[in-house]
Amino acid sequence: MADKKSVKLVVTFAERGKGKALAKLYAEQGVLCNYQSMGRGTASSDLLDVLGIGSAEKDILISITSGERSQRLLRRLDDGLESDIYGSGIVFDMSLTGLNSLIATVLLSGQESGNGGTQMEAKTDYSLILVSVNQGHTDDVMDTARQAGARGGTVIRARWAGPEDTSQFYGISLQSEKEIIAIVAAGDLRNAIMEMINKKHGLKTEAAAMVCSVGLEHYVKFS
């Protein structure tokens, strides 16, 4: 049974233009703290046409809510209701280990008493792999990830935010323009994907990839 006192970080990758409708749904489910960003998928346009899954451009929602509301939201998306409104995408949650006490109090207030319906079982066999790479190397890194079993990923544009006068980090040349690749992978593929990326595109290569992963508690693919 889920810990009703837990606070979750809920991350959603959806089709571009669906973020606003999803945020409305989240609010209806009591998930009120939402942040929206933009990204792009790594599949080619030809493959997207064949699969019929729409644009490679993505809306990314980052939400903070209670464990109870997170489970209720994921169950709703897993039901596949109103897929024409919300499109297709993936959503997962992770437990937060620290948060402002006032925000935590607000997020955990007004929760339902009792069981509140069936609980979702934690799917601990999935991980989120995050890869920071120099701009221009994303396609090569994703090709390597696919060779190790990855099915795809979402790319978020970023910049190095260290000291402006720093051109190297512990002897490693830095490039200010970065891209972060987010890959959701099954646990039995995680190590192989990370090791292959590090071997071919690690910090001492032109891609300068930094790789890490975090376990996901619940994972739903909706369409």
Side-chain angles (χ1 to χ4, degrees):
M1 181 176 295
D3 180 3
K4 294 183 180 296
K5 295 299 183 182
S6 64
V7 179
K8 304 289 186 179
L9 180 71
V10 182
V11 181
T12 309
F13 298 126
E15 296 176 22
R16 178 65 55 82
K18 301 296 185 181
K20 185 175 181 179
L22 282 165
K24 182 178 179 181
L25 169 69
Y26 288 18
E28 292 170 353
Q29 298 298 311
V31 180
L32 303 176
C33 188
N34 301 299
Y35 302 89
Q36 184 170 337
S37 181
M38 294 184 294
R40 64 178 176 85
T42 57
S44 67
S45 57
D46 290 340
L47 179 59
L48 291 171
D49 291 340
V50 170
L51 297 177
I53 57 176
S55 170
E57 301 301 312
K58 301 295 180 184
D59 280 350
I60 302 168
L61 285 180
I62 299 175
S63 312
I64 303 174
T65 190
S66 67
E68 179 180 322
R69 293 188 180 107
S70 173
Q71 289 205 5
R72 187 168 63 224
L73 174 64
L74 267 64
R75 282 197 300 270
R76 172 66 182 269
L77 291 171
D78 198 26
D79 286 340
L81 302 175
E82 305 169 311
S83 60
D84 56 327
I85 299 177
Y86 307 124
S88 60
I90 60 174
V91 57
F92 51 85
D93 68 4
M94 300 172 283
S95 289
L96 293 180
T97 57
L99 187 67
N100 303 53
S101 59
L102 178 57
I103 296 177
T105 299
V106 171
L107 292 177
L108 295 172
S109 67
Q111 296 195 107
E112 301 162 358
S113 59
N115 291 332
T118 56
Q119 300 288 338
M120 294 185 67
E121 293 186 3
K123 299 179 180 179
T124 55
D125 57 336
Y126 279 88
S127 292
L128 173 67
I129 301 173
L130 296 172
V131 189
S132 168
V133 300
N134 288 335
Q135 198 173 105
H137 295 273
T138 300
D139 290 342
D140 291 339
V141 173
M142 273 308 307
D143 286 344
T144 297
R146 288 192 182 94
Q147 291 171 21
R151 300 188 63 182
T154 298
V155 181
I156 306 167
R157 186 69 60 84
R159 287 182 60 85
W160 174 261
E164 294 182 3
D165 59 349
T166 300
S167 60
Q168 289 199 336
F169 181 74
Y170 287 93
I172 301 166
S173 297
L174 299 177
Q175 176 180 310
S176 60
E177 299 299 323
K178 298 284 185 179
E179 290 182 320
I180 298 173
I181 308 170
I183 302 170
V184 175
D188 58 346
L189 297 174
R190 180 195 61 215
N191 288 347
I193 294 170
M194 295 178 68
E195 289 172 3
M196 189 170 288
I197 290 175
N198 188 57
K199 181 178 179 180
K200 292 188 175 183
H201 311 284
L203 284 171
K204 294 187 177 180
T205 70
E206 291 185 1
M210 290 187 281
V211 190
C212 65
S213 70
V214 60
L216 307 183
E217 295 188 19
H218 306 94
Y219 164 70
V220 169
K221 185 175 182 180
F222 62 91
S223 60

